Amino acid sequence: MKIIEPSAVLMRDFDGAEVMKFLELCGRTAYQSAKNITDDSAEKFIRNIIKRGHESVLEHFSATFKIICDRGVMAELTRHRLASFTIESTRFNDYSKGELTFIRPNWQEQTFLYRAWKESMIQSKEKYLAMRQSGAKPEQARAILPNSLKTEIIMTANLREWRTILKLRTAKDAHPQMRQVAEMILDALKKKLPVIFENIGA
């Protein structure tokens, strides 16, 4: 059994400055104002369209992340319908041939909560392996796997949708483990496109 931390990594790198110029070009179509483009006009233009709520312009570029999280966080992520998902299958993956991996909850390890959780993960692993050894198919044995099971997700969304997702999922009342993953995504996007994501999060 393996216990790991969640992660979120931008899968395809891009030049944030070039994306901003591209979005400005797209956005200026609405106003037929391409003649106003200068070497440094993109930042002001994009900031203004966000301020005015003209965020459809941000749909012209998408970002893809590889996310490793638990099945509970996965269920929250996949509620966002304007995104594309490819998700590790518990039906077709046979975890008896490798190592069952769980995502560490963000609780202190010295607490009763953490000890109870870890004991439950050990029992899940033992029961899963016993079911497989008794002839159960992976799609049958998966029924006893917990929300903490590690899953890998490839998730793509346009920048407008990422703004929507991250506003919701980094809020103070978001589930702590969902917020932990969302903040990783937000940090990566803020580094690349600070103007687009500057008003989201703490």
Side-chain angles (χ1 to χ4, degrees), residues 84-143:
S84 299
F85 303 93
T86 302
I87 301 172
E88 177 180 343
S89 169
T90 57
R91 180 182 180 196
F92 296 110
N93 282 303
D94 182 357
Y95 297 108
S96 68
K97 292 182 177 176
E99 192 167 26
L100 264 168
T101 303
F102 302 102
I103 298 292
R104 182 187 314 278
N106 51 359
W107 309 324
Q108 292 296 322
E109 289 193 24
Q110 295 79 16
T111 64
F112 168 78
L113 284 178
Y114 185 85
R115 289 192 302 273
W117 170 83
K118 189 171 181 182
E119 184 178 314
S120 179
M121 297 309 102
I122 292 167
Q123 290 172 356
S124 293
K125 172 197 163 191
E126 290 170 352
K127 296 298 182 188
Y128 179 90
L129 294 176
M131 288 178 75
R132 290 289 292 121
Q133 286 166 2
S134 72
K137 296 177 181 176
E139 66 183 39
Q140 295 170 316
R142 76 174 180 172

Side-chain angles (χ1 to χ4, degrees), residues 64-65 67 69 73-88 152-157 161-162 165 169 178 185:
T64 300
F65 283 84
I67 301 164
C69 61
V73 169
M74 178 210 71
E76 292 199 23
L77 279 174
T78 55
R79 290 181 187 151
H80 297 282
R81 305 312 311 149
L82 298 178
S84 299
F85 303 93
T86 302
I87 301 172
E88 177 180 343
E152 294 185 19
I153 306 170
I154 306 302
M155 181 176 177
T156 302
E161 185 63 10
W162 277 123
I165 292 166
R169 301 304 184 177
M178 177 68 256
I185 296 168

Side-chain angles (χ1 to χ4, degrees), residues 8 67 73 77 162 165-171 174-189 200:
I67 301 164
V73 169
L77 279 174
W162 277 123
I165 292 166
L166 295 171
K167 282 178 192 175
L168 293 169
R169 301 304 184 177
T170 61
H175 188 283
Q177 286 171 267
M178 177 68 256
R179 190 169 60 242
Q180 183 181 17
V181 170
E183 285 172 351
M184 293 179 204
I185 296 168
L186 180 58
D187 287 346
L189 289 173
I200 300 173

